[in-house]
Amino acid sequence: MSPVSLTYGGIPGYVIFWVIFALAVGLFLRRIYQLGRYLSLGRGEEKFGHLLKRVLNTIVSVLGQWCQLKNLTTKDRASLGHVFMAWGFFIFVPFYLLFIIIGGGFGLSETMEHTSFFFYYAWVMDIAAPFIMLGALWGIIRRYIVKPPRLEGEQTIEAMVILVTVLIHPMTHLFKEATAIALGYAPVGLGTSLPPISSALSHLFADSSTSSIQTAHVAFFWAHWSIVLFVLVFIAYSRYLHMIASIFNVLLQSPPPKGALRPIDLETTETFGVAKITDFTWKQLLDLYSCVIYGQCQEACPATASGKSLNPKKLVDDLKKHLLEVGPGLVKGKGEASPANPGKALIGEVITEDVIWACTTCRACQQVCPVSVEHVDKIIDLRRNLVMEQANVPETAEGALRSIEDRGHPWRGTTLSRTDWAEGLDIKTLAEDRDIDILFWVGCSYALEERSTKVAQDLAKLLKLAGINFGILGAEESCCGEPARRLGNEYLFQMQAEKNIELLKSYGVKQIVTACPHGYNTIKNEYPQFGGNFEVIHHTELIAQLLKEGKLRISKGTGGVVTYHDPCYLGRYNDIYQPPRQIIKSVPDIKMVEMERNREHSFCCGGGGGHMWLEERIGRRINELRTEQAMETKVQIVITACSFCLQMFDDGIKAKAAEEKLKVMDIAELVAAQV
């Protein structure tokens, strides 16, 4: 067929197109400006360094869709559908920009449509379109037919509009191109070949008259561009917003180390923590725009799984709704809650106290979030306000905080001293002899909690056996402050940190080993905020190194089947996964079986975030859930590397009356029993 002239309404059509285009762009920019003003209500944020590294990470995470692929499992392939849709989005958007800016839009200019670039790009779009449709169709099936728990209540009209537009949009493009091919206007791709999908669809019009094909082509053209412009507007007013916001959210995510909380300048701050939406930083508010209510955080959260009030997905969504509700009044200077703008109280009404105290700070939500939303720091900021401004602390937590302040440790009922565990082991203190190579930071639990003291003893024996010149602080050691910081008492934490840093510097300490992941994370990642820069190594890293160097030799194996539980503050916070597994594999006759939730997807023991001293009043106990997961593996021993995990498993095993079937050991105890 010889080419037939393509028209889309002539001059009136041209005018209508650009009027609609200008209206859509205007509505989009107006909303973006409005949302930007809401962001500006937040406090200032620290400077964002390492720009090149951030850009590369964003390219890999967003453009490469690693943000979704990292969560792809054999049991849940939902992420794959999103990957198809996202890659399609990244392919189609450049075309639209070029079509408008270079091509002149509306098909009236041949400047772009007769270039080699256009021919090749048409091929790419043709291949991408079916994958976008598959992704959208899979999303519709997942959300409205399969209905996994994390999407419960998310069968909304908004969600359906998003998925349907994603489904129809590439479909109209394919039929637009198919009718163009049928009329003799075929974009040539590789060599003389036609774009395969559009070409195949063009045969549907083989027996149609030219006029009917022209009519169909015009209809598909207008349908396609109407959807494109509708989506442009809808992006700014719906969850589609995450397509733009998440790019900046990934780019500007908190700098490493990821295990460090943001400090408060106690001398200059006017408020402690967050009591109203404007107390958050603008970057924390950007998190709210980026969330797409995907629900993977909900599936990963131990608080949600155990029936607590906290749901990280709902937490972020509730904060976003509150921001959009009070934002108009705030930008007009009416205040967040005033007679002119009667908003809800952030703490108590928008976010309840049960939600705030339910978090174990395990970071499982942040690990799986594809758009780098940071939940934990928001919860800690809310706790800080409850504790430091309102003096509102759960009774058991208050007792632990008071004990840290009065006695230098959170264990109120202990009768042990800091050095009782070391009796008969001939371990020197730095007060006696500061000539050491490494300081053994024992930690409160390993020194003062009876079950954990055996771990400290075994680790000290291993250090002596390996010929390590080490010492302890003994009675001078005080709580690192981690429980105080996670419970919201930043003042007490900073007081402990500054006192400990001064002591460590006075002894000239350079290298520290500790068995406590919480102390490890605090001294390594948070003490530098206050001038305390020390080389910190976890005992799993040191033991693995000593075994590799032959300074420790395992001479026998007790046999048995074991599993390893990854402590949150060792794994997700500090990426230490391999050393403990290397140690276990070096023990003869032991078979290791992984729990279903392991490594970065490990399930919290329930002791983090100050929960060693917080009573669980709602739902099931998290440690019992994790104990059940361990029991499913049919192993005889659970190995861990954290005093909190050790105690939580010990309690969980007793609660399940499984003492005869299962026991828990620290990795230092395992090695000490074999050497």
Side-chain angles (χ1 to χ4, degrees):
M1 177 186 293
S2 59
V4 176
S5 177
L6 300 179
T7 60
Y8 305 104
I11 298 300
Y14 182 84
V15 173
I16 292 172
F17 178 88
W18 284 109
V19 168
I20 296 175
F21 175 82
L23 179 63
V25 171
L27 290 172
F28 172 80
L29 293 177
R30 179 179 180 275
R31 180 60 169 176
I32 294 300
Y33 172 74
Q34 185 181 47
L35 295 173
R37 292 196 68 187
Y38 297 166
L39 279 189
S40 69
L41 297 169
R43 293 185 294 106
E45 185 61 271
E46 61 188 74
K47 293 181 179 180
F48 298 94
H50 308 288
L51 182 59
L52 179 59
K53 186 176 180 180
R54 287 177 176 276
V55 170
L56 293 175
N57 176 65
T58 303
I59 290 173
V60 172
S61 183
V62 179
L63 297 183
Q65 280 294 285
W66 177 247
C67 60
Q68 290 288 348
L69 293 173
K70 69 179 183 180
N71 296 324
L72 189 64
T73 66
T74 56
K75 291 188 176 182
D76 187 359
R77 296 186 175 88
S79 299
L80 198 57
H82 187 280
V83 169
F84 289 160
M85 290 187 282
W87 281 341
F89 172 81
F90 297 138
I91 290 171
F92 272 68
V93 167
F95 170 76
Y96 297 141
L97 295 176
L98 292 170
F99 179 90
I100 296 296
I101 297 171
I102 298 177
F106 199 59
L108 298 182
S109 172
E110 297 183 356
T111 303
M112 179 176 157
E113 294 188 8
H114 285 180
T115 64
S116 297
F117 172 82
F118 179 83
F119 295 153
Y120 284 99
Y121 211 92
W123 246 79
V124 174
M125 293 174 67
D126 203 73
I127 298 297
F131 286 98
I132 301 173
M133 294 163 61
L134 282 174
L137 187 61
W138 176 232
I140 292 172
I141 293 172
R142 286 275 300 173
R143 188 174 292 266
Y144 295 93
I145 299 177
V146 178
K147 297 181 181 179
R150 66 182 173 86
L151 295 177
E152 185 177 348
E154 295 300 326
Q155 290 73 34
T156 62
I157 294 177
E158 180 188 70
M160 178 58 82
V161 169
I162 290 172
L163 289 169
V164 168
T165 53
V166 173
L167 176 66
I168 296 177
H169 158 258
M171 188 184 301
T172 56
H173 166 78
L174 289 175
F175 277 100
K176 175 170 67 71
E177 296 303 307
T179 50
I181 291 173
L183 292 169
Y185 277 87
V188 180
L190 304 176
T192 58
S193 59
L194 295 171
I197 310 300
S198 301
S199 178
L201 291 174
S202 69
H203 296 302
L204 296 174
F205 303 93
D207 298 327
S208 302
S209 64
T210 300
S211 61
S212 62
I213 299 174
Q214 283 182 311
T215 301
H217 178 74
V218 171
F220 286 124
F221 174 90
W222 281 105
H224 181 74
W225 280 102
S226 296
I227 292 174
V228 169
L229 296 177
F230 169 78
V231 168
L232 177 65
V233 178
F234 201 58
I235 281 174
Y237 292 87
S238 70
R239 298 175 190 176
Y240 258 138
L241 182 64
H242 85 280
M243 295 193 302
I244 299 174
S246 62
I247 296 174
F248 295 98
N249 209 49
V250 173
L251 179 68
L252 301 174
Q253 61 187 296
S254 294
K258 61 184 178 181
L261 290 173
R262 180 188 292 106
I264 295 176
D265 188 336
L266 299 173
E267 295 182 357
T268 62
T269 188
E270 296 180 0
T271 59
F272 296 106
V274 168
K276 52 186 185 299
I277 200 74
T278 53
D279 290 333
F280 286 119
T281 69
W282 64 263
K283 170 58 180 66
Q284 288 176 310
L285 298 181
L286 180 62
D287 275 358
L288 312 184
Y289 293 166
S290 304
C291 180
V292 70
I293 323 295
Y294 199 53
Q296 288 181 321
C297 57
Q298 171 185 319
E299 287 189 335
C301 179
T304 305
S306 62
K308 308 289 189 294
S309 303
L310 171 62
N311 181 322
K313 177 184 77 172
K314 188 174 185 301
L315 170 82
V316 175
D317 193 39
D318 287 345
L319 288 173
K320 178 183 178 181
K321 289 176 180 176
H322 182 64
L323 174 63
L324 297 180
E325 179 182 323
V326 302
L330 288 170
V331 297
K332 294 177 182 177
K334 294 181 180 180
E336 187 164 338
S338 65
N341 184 32
K344 297 178 181 178
L346 184 64
I347 297 179
E349 293 183 274
V350 179
I351 307 296
T352 66
E353 291 182 26
D354 285 337
V355 168
I356 295 169
W357 291 113
C359 180
T360 65
T361 68
C362 70
R363 290 191 88 255
C365 52
Q366 294 180 210
Q367 179 70 40
V368 299
C369 180
V371 292
S372 298
V373 170
E374 298 170 359
H375 310 75
V376 174
D377 66 334
K378 296 177 184 61
I379 292 173
I380 295 298
D381 280 339
L382 293 166
R383 284 186 186 179
R384 285 169 169 173
N385 188 268
L386 279 173
V387 174
M388 302 178 71
E389 289 273 2
Q390 303 181 35
N392 185 352
V393 191
E395 184 178 352
T396 50
E398 184 179 15
L401 293 172
R402 188 180 299 114
S403 182
I404 293 173
E405 189 170 359
D406 295 340
R407 306 171 66 190
H409 64 78
W411 295 105
R412 290 182 296 164
T414 185
T415 59
L416 299 176
S417 74
R418 285 277 180 182
T419 55
D420 284 352
W421 68 272
E423 286 184 8
L425 296 179
D426 191 27
I427 300 173
K428 63 185 177 184
T429 65
L430 269 61
E432 298 168 338
D433 181 1
R434 66 175 63 193
D435 181 22
I436 62 167
D437 295 326
I438 189 167
L439 170 71
F440 175 18
W441 181 279
V442 184
C444 300
S445 295
Y446 291 112
L448 301 166
E449 195 280 320
E450 188 171 356
R451 169 63 182 90
S452 301
T453 57
K454 188 178 184 303
V455 179
Q457 292 167 351
D458 283 344
L459 178 55
K461 292 174 183 177
L462 292 174
L463 295 177
K464 291 174 76 69
L465 189 62
I468 305 296
N469 179 23
F470 74 98
I472 62 174
L473 290 171
E476 291 185 282
E477 184 176 303
S478 186
C479 180
C480 66
E482 192 270 353
R485 188 169 229 192
R486 266 61 192 180
L487 286 170
N489 194 331
E490 180 72 8
Y491 174 80
L492 180 56
F493 163 72
Q494 291 192 22
M495 183 176 71
Q496 289 295 121
E498 290 169 1
K499 178 174 66 175
N500 289 330
I501 291 169
E502 183 180 355
L503 178 65
L504 293 170
K505 286 184 174 180
S506 71
Y507 281 122
V509 172
K510 298 287 190 266
Q511 190 176 40
I512 298 171
V513 63
T514 181
C516 177
H518 297 263
Y520 170 86
N521 180 71
T522 298
I523 300 171
K524 179 180 179 180
N525 297 325
E526 297 184 331
Y527 275 21
Q529 297 171 346
F530 308 96
N533 295 288
F534 309 100
E535 181 185 350
V536 189
I537 185 169
H538 190 258
H539 79 315
T540 56
E541 297 176 295
L542 183 57
I543 293 172
Q545 179 184 334
L546 295 175
L547 286 170
K548 183 178 180 180
E549 294 173 352
K551 294 180 180 179
L552 286 178
R553 296 181 184 275
I554 295 178
S555 58
K556 60 180 179 178
T558 56
V561 185
V562 306
T563 191
Y564 175 70
H565 164 77
D566 290 278
C568 303
Y569 275 72
L570 195 62
R572 277 189 291 269
Y573 273 77
N574 289 284
D575 298 314
I576 298 177
Y577 299 110
Q578 282 305 109
R581 288 173 170 81
Q582 291 171 355
I583 295 169
I584 294 171
K585 289 177 182 178
S586 69
V587 179
D589 304 324
I590 279 187
K591 179 183 178 182
M592 180 176 164
V593 178
E594 293 279 12
M595 284 186 268
E596 183 177 349
R597 297 282 294 269
N598 64 78
R599 297 180 182 266
E600 64 268 23
H601 299 297
S602 179
F603 192 85
C604 181
C605 74
H611 274 250
M612 283 298 299
W613 302 276
L614 279 172
E615 187 174 349
E616 291 188 61
R617 297 176 291 102
I618 300 174
R620 297 190 60 192
R621 293 183 63 84
I622 295 172
N623 65 324
E624 293 181 18
L625 290 180
R626 186 54 167 169
T627 301
E628 290 173 1
Q629 293 170 12
M631 293 174 67
E632 289 172 1
T633 63
K634 308 298 183 183
V635 300
Q636 299 159 323
I637 304 173
V638 177
I639 307 296
T640 189
C642 171
S643 61
F644 292 1
C645 299
L646 189 71
Q647 294 171 67
M648 284 294 181
F649 268 104
D650 202 42
D651 290 345
I653 291 170
K654 291 175 182 176
K656 304 302 294 184
E659 295 97 324
E660 299 298 321
K661 299 179 182 178
L662 186 66
K663 67 176 180 176
V664 60
M665 297 176 66
D666 186 272
I667 204 160
E669 295 178 298
L670 176 72
V671 175
Q674 319 297 325
V675 297

